[in-house]
Coordinates of all heavy atoms in Angstrom, one line a residue:
M8 N 0.8 -1.2 0.0 CA 0.0 0.0 0.0 C 0.9 1.3 0.0 O 0.5 2.3 -0.6 CB -0.9 0.0 1.2 CG -2.0 1.0 1.2 SD -3.1 0.7 -0.2 CE -4.4 1.8 0.2
F9 N 2.0 1.2 0.7 CA 2.9 2.4 0.8 C 3.5 2.7 -0.6 O 3.8 3.8 -0.9 CB 3.9 2.2 1.8 CG 3.4 2.3 3.2 CD1 3.4 1.2 4.1 CD2 2.9 3.5 3.7 CE1 2.9 1.3 5.4 CE2 2.4 3.7 5.0 CZ 2.3 2.5 5.8
I10 N 3.8 1.6 -1.4 CA 4.3 1.8 -2.7 C 3.4 2.7 -3.6 O 3.8 3.6 -4.3 CB 4.6 0.5 -3.4 CG1 5.8 -0.2 -2.6 CG2 5.0 0.6 -4.8 CD1 7.1 0.4 -2.8
I11 N 2.1 2.4 -3.5 CA 1.1 3.1 -4.3 C 1.1 4.6 -3.8 O 1.0 5.5 -4.6 CB -0.3 2.4 -4.1 CG1 -0.2 1.1 -4.8 CG2 -1.4 3.3 -4.8 CD1 -1.5 0.2 -4.6
W12 N 1.2 4.8 -2.5 CA 1.2 6.1 -1.9 C 2.4 6.9 -2.5 O 2.2 8.1 -2.9 CB 1.2 6.1 -0.4 CG 1.3 7.4 0.3 CD1 2.4 7.9 0.9 CD2 0.3 8.4 0.4 NE1 2.2 9.1 1.4 CE2 0.9 9.5 1.1 CE3 -1.0 8.5 0.0 CZ2 0.2 10.6 1.4 CZ3 -1.7 9.6 0.3 CH2 -1.1 10.7 1.0
W13 N 3.6 6.3 -2.4 CA 4.8 7.0 -2.9 C 4.7 7.3 -4.4 O 5.1 8.3 -4.9 CB 6.0 6.1 -2.7 CG 6.5 6.2 -1.3 CD1 6.2 5.3 -0.3 CD2 7.4 7.1 -0.7 NE1 6.8 5.7 0.9 CE2 7.6 6.8 0.6 CE3 8.0 8.2 -1.2 CZ2 8.4 7.6 1.5 CZ3 8.8 9.0 -0.4 CH2 9.0 8.6 0.9
I14 N 4.1 6.4 -5.2 CA 3.9 6.6 -6.6 C 3.0 7.7 -6.9 O 3.2 8.6 -7.7 CB 3.5 5.3 -7.3 CG1 4.6 4.3 -7.3 CG2 3.0 5.6 -8.8 CD1 4.2 2.9 -7.8
V15 N 1.9 7.8 -6.1 CA 0.9 8.9 -6.3 C 1.5 10.2 -5.9 O 1.4 11.2 -6.7 CB -0.4 8.6 -5.5 CG1 -1.3 9.8 -5.5 CG2 -1.1 7.4 -6.1
V16 N 2.1 10.3 -4.8 CA 2.8 11.5 -4.4 C 3.9 11.9 -5.3 O 4.0 13.1 -5.7 CB 3.3 11.4 -2.9 CG1 4.2 12.6 -2.6 CG2 2.2 11.3 -1.9
G17 N 4.7 10.9 -5.8 CA 5.7 11.2 -6.8 C 5.2 11.7 -8.1 O 5.8 12.6 -8.7
L18 N 4.1 11.1 -8.5 CA 3.5 11.6 -9.8 C 3.0 13.0 -9.7 O 3.2 13.8 -10.5 CB 2.3 10.7 -10.1 CG 1.5 11.0 -11.3 CD1 2.3 10.9 -12.6 CD2 0.3 10.1 -11.5
I19 N 2.3 13.3 -8.6 CA 1.8 14.7 -8.4 C 2.9 15.7 -8.2 O 2.9 16.7 -8.8 CB 0.8 14.7 -7.1 CG1 -0.4 13.9 -7.4 CG2 0.5 16.2 -6.8 CD1 -1.3 13.7 -6.2
A20 N 3.9 15.3 -7.4 CA 5.1 16.2 -7.2 C 5.9 16.4 -8.5 O 6.3 17.5 -8.8 CB 6.0 15.7 -6.1
G21 N 6.1 15.3 -9.2 CA 6.8 15.4 -10.5 C 6.1 16.3 -11.5 O 6.6 17.1 -12.2
F22 N 4.7 16.1 -11.6 CA 3.9 16.9 -12.5 C 4.0 18.4 -12.1 O 4.2 19.3 -13.0 CB 2.5 16.4 -12.5 CG 1.5 17.2 -13.3 CD1 1.5 17.2 -14.6 CD2 0.7 18.2 -12.6 CE1 0.6 17.9 -15.4 CE2 -0.2 18.9 -13.4 CZ -0.2 18.8 -14.7
L23 N 3.8 18.7 -10.8 CA 3.8 20.1 -10.4 C 5.2 20.7 -10.6 O 5.3 21.9 -11.0 CB 3.4 20.2 -8.9 CG 1.9 19.9 -8.6 CD1 1.6 19.9 -7.1 CD2 1.0 20.9 -9.3
T24 N 6.2 19.9 -10.3 CA 7.6 20.5 -10.5 C 7.8 20.8 -12.0 O 8.4 21.8 -12.4 CB 8.6 19.4 -10.0 OG1 8.4 19.2 -8.6 CG2 10.0 20.0 -10.2
G25 N 7.3 19.9 -12.9 CA 7.4 20.1 -14.3 C 6.7 21.4 -14.7 O 7.2 22.1 -15.6
K26 N 5.6 21.7 -14.1 CA 4.9 22.9 -14.4 C 5.5 24.2 -13.8 O 5.5 25.2 -14.4 CB 3.4 22.8 -13.9 CG 2.6 21.8 -14.6 CD 2.5 22.0 -16.1 CE 1.7 20.9 -16.8 NZ 1.7 21.1 -18.2
L27 N 6.2 24.0 -12.7 CA 6.8 25.2 -12.0 C 8.2 25.5 -12.7 O 8.5 26.7 -12.8 CB 7.1 24.9 -10.6 CG 5.9 24.8 -9.6 CD1 6.3 24.3 -8.3 CD2 5.2 26.1 -9.6
M28 N 8.9 24.5 -13.2 CA 10.2 24.8 -13.7 C 10.1 25.0 -15.2 O 9.3 24.3 -15.9 CB 11.1 23.6 -13.5 CG 11.2 23.2 -12.0 SD 12.2 24.3 -11.0 CE 13.8 24.0 -11.7
K29 N 10.9 25.9 -15.8 CA 10.9 26.0 -17.2 C 11.8 24.9 -17.8 O 12.6 24.3 -17.2 CB 11.5 27.4 -17.6 CG 10.6 28.6 -17.3 CD 11.3 29.8 -17.8 CE 10.4 31.0 -17.6 NZ 10.9 32.2 -18.1
G30 N 11.5 24.7 -19.1 CA 12.3 23.7 -19.8 C 11.6 22.4 -19.9 O 10.4 22.2 -19.5
S31 N 12.2 21.4 -20.5 CA 11.6 20.1 -20.6 C 11.7 19.3 -19.4 O 12.6 19.4 -18.6 CB 12.3 19.3 -21.8 OG 13.6 19.1 -21.5
G32 N 10.8 18.4 -19.2 CA 10.8 17.5 -18.0 C 11.6 16.3 -18.3 O 12.4 16.2 -19.2
F33 N 11.4 15.2 -17.5 CA 12.2 14.0 -17.6 C 11.3 12.9 -18.2 O 11.7 11.7 -18.1 CB 12.7 13.6 -16.3 CG 13.7 14.6 -15.7 CD1 13.3 15.5 -14.7 CD2 15.0 14.7 -16.2 CE1 14.2 16.4 -14.2 CE2 15.9 15.7 -15.7 CZ 15.5 16.5 -14.7
G34 N 10.1 13.2 -18.7 CA 9.2 12.2 -19.2 C 8.3 11.7 -18.0 O 8.6 12.1 -16.8
A35 N 7.3 10.9 -18.3 CA 6.4 10.5 -17.2 C 7.1 9.7 -16.1 O 6.9 10.0 -14.9 CB 5.2 9.7 -17.9
V36 N 7.8 8.7 -16.5 CA 8.5 7.8 -15.5 C 9.6 8.6 -14.8 O 9.7 8.5 -13.6 CB 9.1 6.6 -16.2 CG1 9.9 5.7 -15.2 CG2 7.9 5.7 -16.8
G37 N 10.3 9.4 -15.5 CA 11.4 10.2 -14.9 C 10.8 11.3 -13.9 O 11.4 11.5 -12.9
D38 N 9.6 11.9 -14.3 CA 9.0 12.8 -13.4 C 8.5 12.1 -12.1 O 8.7 12.7 -11.0 CB 7.8 13.5 -14.0 CG 8.2 14.6 -15.0 OD1 9.4 15.0 -15.0 OD2 7.4 15.0 -15.8
I39 N 8.0 10.9 -12.2 CA 7.6 10.1 -11.0 C 8.8 9.9 -10.1 O 8.8 10.0 -8.9 CB 6.9 8.8 -11.4 CG1 5.6 9.2 -12.0 CG2 6.7 7.9 -10.2 CD1 4.9 7.9 -12.6
I40 N 9.9 9.4 -10.8 CA 11.1 9.1 -10.0 C 11.7 10.4 -9.3 O 12.1 10.3 -8.1 CB 12.2 8.4 -10.9 CG1 11.7 7.1 -11.3 CG2 13.5 8.3 -10.2 CD1 12.5 6.4 -12.4
V41 N 11.7 11.5 -10.1 CA 12.2 12.7 -9.5 C 11.3 13.2 -8.3 O 11.7 13.6 -7.3 CB 12.3 13.8 -10.6 CG1 12.5 15.2 -9.9 CG2 13.5 13.5 -11.5
G42 N 10.0 13.0 -8.5 CA 9.0 13.3 -7.4 C 9.2 12.4 -6.2 O 9.2 12.9 -5.1
I43 N 9.4 11.1 -6.4 CA 9.6 10.3 -5.2 C 10.9 10.6 -4.5 O 11.0 10.7 -3.3 CB 9.6 8.8 -5.7 CG1 8.2 8.4 -6.1 CG2 10.1 7.9 -4.6 CD1 8.1 7.0 -6.8
I44 N 12.0 10.7 -5.3 CA 13.3 11.1 -4.7 C 13.2 12.5 -4.0 O 13.7 12.8 -3.0 CB 14.4 11.0 -5.7 CG1 14.6 9.6 -6.1 CG2 15.7 11.6 -5.1 CD1 15.6 9.4 -7.3
G45 N 12.5 13.4 -4.7 CA 12.2 14.7 -4.1 C 11.5 14.7 -2.8 O 11.7 15.5 -1.9
A46 N 10.5 13.7 -2.7 CA 9.8 13.6 -1.5 C 10.7 13.2 -0.3 O 10.6 13.7 0.8 CB 8.7 12.6 -1.6
V47 N 11.7 12.3 -0.6 CA 12.6 11.9 0.4 C 13.6 13.0 0.7 O 13.8 13.3 1.9 CB 13.5 10.7 -0.1 CG1 14.6 10.3 0.8 CG2 12.5 9.5 -0.3
V48 N 14.0 13.8 -0.3 CA 14.9 14.9 0.0 C 14.2 16.0 0.8 O 14.7 16.5 1.7 CB 15.5 15.5 -1.4 CG1 16.2 16.8 -1.2 CG2 16.4 14.5 -2.0
G49 N 13.0 16.3 0.3 CA 12.2 17.3 1.1 C 11.9 16.9 2.5 O 12.0 17.7 3.4
G50 N 11.6 15.6 2.7 CA 11.3 15.1 4.1 C 12.6 15.2 4.9 O 12.5 15.6 6.1
F51 N 13.7 14.9 4.3 CA 15.0 15.0 5.1 C 15.3 16.5 5.5 O 15.6 16.8 6.6 CB 16.1 14.5 4.2 CG 17.5 14.5 4.8 CD1 17.8 13.6 5.8 CD2 18.4 15.5 4.5 CE1 19.1 13.6 6.4 CE2 19.6 15.5 5.0 CZ 20.0 14.6 6.0
I52 N 15.1 17.4 4.5 CA 15.3 18.8 4.8 C 14.4 19.3 5.9 O 14.8 20.0 6.8 CB 15.2 19.6 3.5 CG1 16.4 19.3 2.6 CG2 15.1 21.1 3.8 CD1 16.2 19.9 1.2
M53 N 13.1 19.0 5.7 CA 12.1 19.5 6.7 C 12.3 18.9 8.1 O 12.1 19.6 9.1 CB 10.7 19.2 6.2 CG 10.3 19.9 4.9 SD 10.4 21.7 5.0 CE 8.8 22.1 5.5
Q54 N 12.7 17.7 8.2 CA 13.0 17.0 9.4 C 14.2 17.8 10.1 O 14.2 18.0 11.3 CB 13.3 15.6 9.3 CG 13.6 14.8 10.6 CD 13.9 13.4 10.3 OE1 14.3 13.0 9.2 NE2 13.8 12.6 11.4
H55 N 15.2 18.1 9.4 CA 16.4 18.8 9.9 C 16.1 20.3 10.3 O 16.8 20.9 11.0 CB 17.6 18.6 9.0 CG 18.2 17.3 9.1 ND1 18.9 16.8 10.3 CD2 18.2 16.3 8.3 CE1 19.3 15.6 10.1 NE2 18.9 15.2 8.9
L56 N 15.1 20.8 9.7 CA 14.6 22.2 10.0 C 13.7 22.2 11.2 O 13.4 23.2 11.7 CB 13.9 22.8 8.8 CG 14.8 23.2 7.7 CD1 14.0 23.8 6.5 CD2 15.9 24.2 8.1
G57 N 13.3 21.0 11.7 CA 12.5 20.9 12.9 C 11.1 20.7 12.7 O 10.3 20.8 13.7
Y58 N 10.6 20.5 11.5 CA 9.2 20.3 11.2 C 8.9 18.8 11.3 O 9.6 18.0 10.8 CB 8.8 20.9 9.9 CG 9.0 22.4 9.8 CD1 10.1 22.9 9.2 CD2 8.0 23.2 10.3 CE1 10.2 24.3 9.1 CE2 8.1 24.6 10.2 CZ 9.2 25.1 9.6 OH 9.4 26.5 9.6
A59 N 7.7 18.6 11.9 CA 7.3 17.2 12.1 C 6.9 16.6 10.8 O 6.5 17.2 9.9 CB 6.1 17.1 13.1
G60 N 7.0 15.3 10.7 CA 6.7 14.5 9.5 C 5.3 14.2 9.3 O 4.9 13.6 8.3
S61 N 4.4 14.6 10.3 CA 3.0 14.3 10.2 C 2.3 15.5 9.7 O 2.4 16.6 10.3 CB 2.5 13.9 11.5 OG 2.6 14.9 12.4
G62 N 1.6 15.4 8.6 CA 0.9 16.5 8.1 C -0.4 16.2 7.3 O -1.4 16.7 7.6
G63 N -0.3 15.3 6.4 CA -1.4 14.9 5.6 C -1.0 15.0 4.1 O 0.2 15.2 3.8
L64 N -2.0 14.9 3.3 CA -1.7 14.8 1.8 C -1.1 16.1 1.3 O -0.1 16.1 0.6 CB -3.0 14.4 1.1 CG -2.8 14.3 -0.4 CD1 -1.9 13.2 -0.8 CD2 -4.2 14.1 -1.1
I65 N -1.7 17.2 1.6 CA -1.3 18.5 1.1 C 0.2 18.8 1.6 O 1.0 19.2 0.8 CB -2.2 19.7 1.5 CG1 -3.6 19.4 1.0 CG2 -1.7 21.0 1.0 CD1 -3.7 19.3 -0.5
Y66 N 0.4 18.6 2.9 CA 1.8 18.8 3.4 C 2.8 17.9 2.7 O 3.9 18.3 2.4 CB 1.8 18.6 4.9 CG 3.1 18.6 5.6 CD1 3.7 19.9 5.8 CD2 3.9 17.5 5.9 CE1 5.0 19.9 6.4 CE2 5.1 17.5 6.4 CZ 5.7 18.8 6.7 OH 6.9 18.8 7.3
T67 N 2.4 16.6 2.5 CA 3.3 15.7 1.9 C 3.6 16.1 0.5 O 4.8 16.1 0.0 CB 2.7 14.3 1.9 OG1 2.4 13.9 3.3 CG2 3.6 13.3 1.3
I68 N 2.6 16.5 -0.3 CA 2.9 17.0 -1.7 C 3.7 18.2 -1.7 O 4.6 18.4 -2.5 CB 1.5 17.2 -2.4 CG1 0.8 15.8 -2.6 CG2 1.7 17.9 -3.7 CD1 -0.6 15.9 -3.1
F69 N 3.4 19.2 -0.8 CA 4.2 20.4 -0.7 C 5.7 20.1 -0.4 O 6.5 20.7 -1.1 CB 3.6 21.3 0.4 CG 4.4 22.6 0.6 CD1 4.2 23.6 -0.3 CD2 5.2 22.8 1.7 CE1 4.9 24.8 -0.2 CE2 5.9 24.0 1.9 CZ 5.7 25.0 1.0
V70 N 5.9 19.3 0.5 CA 7.3 18.9 0.8 C 8.0 18.2 -0.3 O 9.1 18.4 -0.7 CB 7.4 18.1 2.1 CG1 8.8 17.5 2.3 CG2 7.0 18.9 3.3
A71 N 7.2 17.3 -1.0 CA 7.8 16.6 -2.1 C 8.1 17.5 -3.3 O 9.1 17.3 -4.0 CB 6.8 15.5 -2.6
V72 N 7.2 18.5 -3.5 CA 7.5 19.5 -4.6 C 8.7 20.3 -4.3 O 9.5 20.5 -5.2 CB 6.2 20.4 -4.8 CG1 6.6 21.5 -5.7 CG2 5.1 19.6 -5.4
I73 N 8.9 20.7 -3.0 CA 10.1 21.5 -2.7 C 11.3 20.6 -2.9 O 12.3 21.1 -3.5 CB 10.0 21.9 -1.2 CG1 9.0 23.0 -1.0 CG2 11.4 22.4 -0.7 CD1 8.7 23.3 0.5
G74 N 11.3 19.4 -2.5 CA 12.4 18.5 -2.7 C 12.7 18.2 -4.2 O 13.8 18.2 -4.7
A75 N 11.6 18.0 -5.0 CA 11.7 17.8 -6.4 C 12.3 19.0 -7.1 O 13.1 18.8 -8.1 CB 10.4 17.3 -7.0
V76 N 11.9 20.2 -6.7 CA 12.4 21.4 -7.4 C 13.9 21.5 -7.1 O 14.7 21.8 -8.0 CB 11.6 22.6 -6.9 CG1 12.4 23.9 -7.3 CG2 10.2 22.7 -7.5
L77 N 14.3 21.3 -5.9 CA 15.7 21.3 -5.5 C 16.5 20.3 -6.3 O 17.6 20.5 -6.8 CB 15.9 21.2 -4.0 CG 15.4 22.3 -3.1 CD1 15.5 22.0 -1.7 CD2 16.2 23.6 -3.4
L78 N 15.9 19.1 -6.4 CA 16.6 18.0 -7.1 C 16.7 18.3 -8.6 O 17.7 18.1 -9.2 CB 15.8 16.7 -6.9 CG 16.4 15.4 -7.5 CD1 17.8 15.1 -7.0 CD2 15.5 14.3 -7.3
T79 N 15.7 18.9 -9.2 CA 15.7 19.3 -10.6 C 16.7 20.3 -10.8 O 17.5 20.3 -11.8 CB 14.3 19.8 -11.0 OG1 13.3 18.7 -10.8 CG2 14.3 20.1 -12.5
L80 N 16.8 21.3 -9.9 CA 17.9 22.3 -10.1 C 19.3 21.7 -10.0 O 20.1 22.1 -10.8 CB 17.7 23.4 -9.0 CG 16.6 24.4 -9.1 CD1 16.5 25.2 -7.8 CD2 16.8 25.2 -10.3
L81 N 19.5 20.8 -9.1 CA 20.7 20.1 -8.9 C 21.1 19.3 -10.2 O 22.2 19.3 -10.7 CB 20.7 19.2 -7.7 CG 22.0 18.5 -7.4 CD1 23.1 19.5 -7.1 CD2 21.8 17.5 -6.3
L82 N 20.1 18.6 -10.7 CA 20.3 17.8 -11.9 C 20.6 18.6 -13.1 O 21.5 18.3 -13.9 CB 19.0 16.9 -12.2 CG 18.8 15.7 -11.3 CD1 17.5 15.1 -11.6 CD2 19.9 14.7 -11.5
R83 N 19.9 19.8 -13.2 CA 20.2 20.7 -14.3 C 21.6 21.3 -14.2 O 22.3 21.5 -15.2 CB 19.2 21.8 -14.4 CG 17.9 21.2 -14.9 CD 16.9 22.3 -15.1 NE 15.6 21.8 -15.6 CZ 14.5 22.5 -15.8 NH1 14.5 23.8 -15.5 NH2 13.4 22.0 -16.3
L84 N 22.1 21.5 -13.0 CA 23.4 22.1 -12.8 C 24.5 21.0 -13.2 O 25.5 21.3 -13.8 CB 23.6 22.5 -11.4 CG 23.0 23.8 -11.0 CD1 23.2 24.0 -9.5 CD2 23.6 25.0 -11.7
V85 N 24.2 19.8 -12.8 CA 25.2 18.7 -13.1 C 25.2 18.3 -14.6 O 26.3 18.2 -15.2 CB 24.9 17.5 -12.2 CG1 25.7 16.3 -12.7 CG2 25.1 17.8 -10.8
T86 N 24.0 18.2 -15.2 CA 24.0 17.8 -16.6 C 24.1 18.9 -17.6 O 24.2 18.7 -18.8 CB 22.6 17.0 -16.9 OG1 21.5 17.9 -16.7 CG2 22.5 15.8 -16.0
G87 N 23.9 20.2 -17.1 CA 24.0 21.3 -18.0 C 22.7 21.5 -18.8 O 22.7 22.3 -19.7
N88 N 21.6 20.9 -18.4 CA 20.4 21.1 -19.1 C 19.6 22.2 -18.5 O 19.0 22.2 -17.5 CB 19.5 19.8 -18.9 CG 18.2 19.9 -19.6 OD1 17.9 20.8 -20.4 ND2 17.3 18.9 -19.3
R89 N 19.8 23.4 -19.1 CA 19.2 24.6 -18.6 C 18.0 25.0 -19.5 O 18.0 24.8 -20.7 CB 20.2 25.7 -18.5 CG 21.3 25.4 -17.5 CD 22.2 26.6 -17.3 NE 23.1 26.4 -16.2 CZ 24.2 25.8 -16.3 NH1 24.6 25.3 -17.4 NH2 25.0 25.6 -15.2
A90 N 17.1 25.7 -18.9 CA 15.9 26.2 -19.7 C 16.3 27.3 -20.6 O 17.2 28.2 -20.2 CB 14.8 26.7 -18.7
R91 N 15.8 27.3 -21.8 CA 16.1 28.4 -22.7 C 15.0 29.4 -22.7 O 13.8 29.1 -22.6 CB 16.1 27.8 -24.2 CG 17.3 26.8 -24.4 CD 17.2 26.4 -25.8 NE 18.3 25.3 -25.9 CZ 18.5 24.7 -27.1 NH1 17.7 25.0 -28.1 NH2 19.4 23.8 -27.2
N92 N 15.5 30.6 -22.7 CA 14.5 31.8 -22.7 C 14.1 32.0 -24.2 O 15.0 32.3 -25.0 CB 15.1 33.0 -22.1 CG 15.3 32.8 -20.6 OD1 14.6 32.1 -19.9 ND2 16.4 33.5 -20.1
L93 N 12.9 32.0 -24.4 CA 12.4 32.2 -25.8 C 11.9 33.6 -26.0 O 11.4 34.3 -25.2 CB 11.3 31.2 -26.2 CG 11.7 29.8 -26.1 CD1 10.5 28.9 -26.4 CD2 12.8 29.5 -27.2

């Protein structure tokens, strides 16, 4: 059951991150993976900032999007894939 929860949160976080960030995404599966890893990164950051891990669906998605945005920025810095201004 938790796998389904992680996939749903990762899908939502990856989709929202793709809409927030300029440039191309990582594809459907890549966005889900970035969203899931972003949820872990965001949870780690929030835990070290002193925020409790219990929140609910909106809090979980918010934290996952924060983590996914940070992860996307890091991936773009490493790979050199930057958004082009048109």
